[in-house]
Amino acid sequence: SLGFMVGGSYYIGDLNKYDHFNNTNLAFGLIYRFHVNSRIELRGTVRYGNVEGYDSESGNADQVARNLSFESSIFEVAGGLEFNYLNYKMGNKDYSFTPYMFIDIGVFKMDPQTDYKGEMVSLQTIGTEGQNSELTSEKSYSLTQLAIPFGIGFKFNLGKRAALSLEYGIRKTFTDYLDDVGTGTYLNKAELAQQNGTIAANLSDRSPADIFMTGSRGNAETKDWYSMFGVMFTLSLGNPDICYYR
């Protein structure tokens, strides 16, 4: 079956630590399913969404003072396995619905940006944590990253050749830089400006001049997460009348 999906996307990380569905944006994509048997389906997906986060929305005073923000597009390609809790086959009235779970492995492309004096600035290239400078040994993080999407859903048939699915999934990533806030420490702004430029220094810490941030910019113990969820409408590419073995 081949389907179209539409729904939302959001992020969990250093700028939004706990609030699921906060700043949800539109997400959409395509899904292909190959029916192995009534319990197992192979799947491949292509999805596009946007995520964002703001220190100003935090309940932590230090984080609000820091005043960092970001937004990023997410382009994801993934494939994996879907397990039906009940016997299911599209177009078969005896096996017409089921809850399911899925796990994939995927690759996604990100591009964290922020508003700086009315213009969107790509953060990876400027090195807000001193990347590619003499101040640290860190190099620029990659904008292409691995992810493990997993989640749950519910699907049911709409006649012989169509089905509708409701799905929620979250992605474990292996980067702490989806929001450009990683494991680096707050650097001296004057030294950072000399090495990576004034914009890098200003965007490394946007707190008032009388507040001096120290320590790590982010939580080194956790990586960033993002979610994509929504509704899928799928059409059968095969013959629903063909018998199959469970």
Side-chain angles (χ1 to χ4, degrees):
S1 62
L2 183 66
F4 175 78
M5 59 189 76
V6 62
S9 56
Y10 67 89
Y11 127 101
I12 297 291
D14 290 305
L15 274 66
N16 178 39
K17 297 180 180 179
Y18 310 112
D19 295 334
H20 286 268
F21 301 102
N22 188 35
N23 294 309
T24 294
N25 290 289
L26 178 67
F28 55 89
L30 298 173
I31 182 169
Y32 173 80
R33 288 184 174 113
F34 179 80
H35 185 85
V36 177
N37 57 45
S38 64
R39 291 295 183 95
I40 300 294
E41 298 192 62
L42 303 179
R43 54 186 269 154
T45 61
V46 178
R47 306 192 198 218
Y48 180 86
N50 286 278
V51 296
E52 58 188 279
Y54 303 91
D55 274 346
S56 60
E57 297 178 350
S58 171
N60 182 285
D62 289 339
Q63 193 172 334
V64 171
R66 182 178 65 174
N67 197 31
L68 298 182
S69 64
F70 91 102
E71 60 183 71
S72 178
S73 59
I74 299 285
F75 178 74
E76 176 192 276
V77 178
L81 190 67
E82 199 168 288
F83 174 77
N84 300 322
Y85 286 101
L86 305 175
N87 292 325
Y88 172 81
K89 187 175 188 295
M90 185 182 291
N92 190 314
K93 64 181 181 180
D94 294 324
Y95 311 110
S96 61
F97 67 91
T98 182
Y100 65 89
M101 63 179 295
F102 72 90
I103 184 166
D104 299 335
I105 185 167
V107 176
F108 70 96
K109 181 72 178 291
M110 63 183 189
D111 184 18
Q113 302 181 353
T114 194
D115 182 280
Y116 181 67
K117 297 183 178 180
E119 295 185 8
M120 297 305 296
V121 175
S122 291
L123 292 164
Q124 184 252 13
T125 57
I126 65 175
T128 57
E129 294 186 356
Q131 294 96 334
N132 302 319
S133 75
E134 297 176 0
L135 301 176
T136 75
S137 61
E138 296 297 317
K139 303 300 180 183
S140 295
Y141 51 86
S142 176
L143 296 180
T144 302
Q145 297 282 344
L146 289 174
I148 299 179
F150 61 95
I152 57 174
F154 184 86
K155 56 190 172 187
F156 55 93
N157 291 338
L158 300 173
K160 272 198 165 187
R161 289 191 168 271
L164 196 69
S165 304
L166 306 175
E167 182 176 290
Y168 172 84
I170 194 162
R171 277 74 176 155
K172 173 178 173 53
T173 78
F174 298 89
T175 179
D176 201 23
Y177 286 101
L178 178 53
D179 49 18
D180 190 62
V181 179
T183 58
T185 59
Y186 292 100
L187 299 173
N188 180 281
K189 283 189 174 183
E191 293 178 352
L192 183 57
Q194 280 188 334
Q195 293 282 324
N196 285 4
T198 302
I199 295 178
N202 289 343
L203 294 181
S204 66
D205 171 16
R206 306 182 81 166
S207 59
D210 60 340
I211 296 179
F212 299 93
M213 307 297 289
T214 60
S216 177
R217 293 179 82 226
N219 185 352
E221 302 301 320
T222 62
K223 304 298 185 184
D224 295 329
W225 297 69
Y226 68 94
S227 171
M228 288 187 175
F229 61 93
V231 179
M232 305 178 191
F233 178 76
T234 55
L235 292 172
S236 173
L237 301 178
N239 186 347
D241 296 321
I242 294 177
C243 294
Y244 68 100
Y245 296 96
R246 287 183 301 209

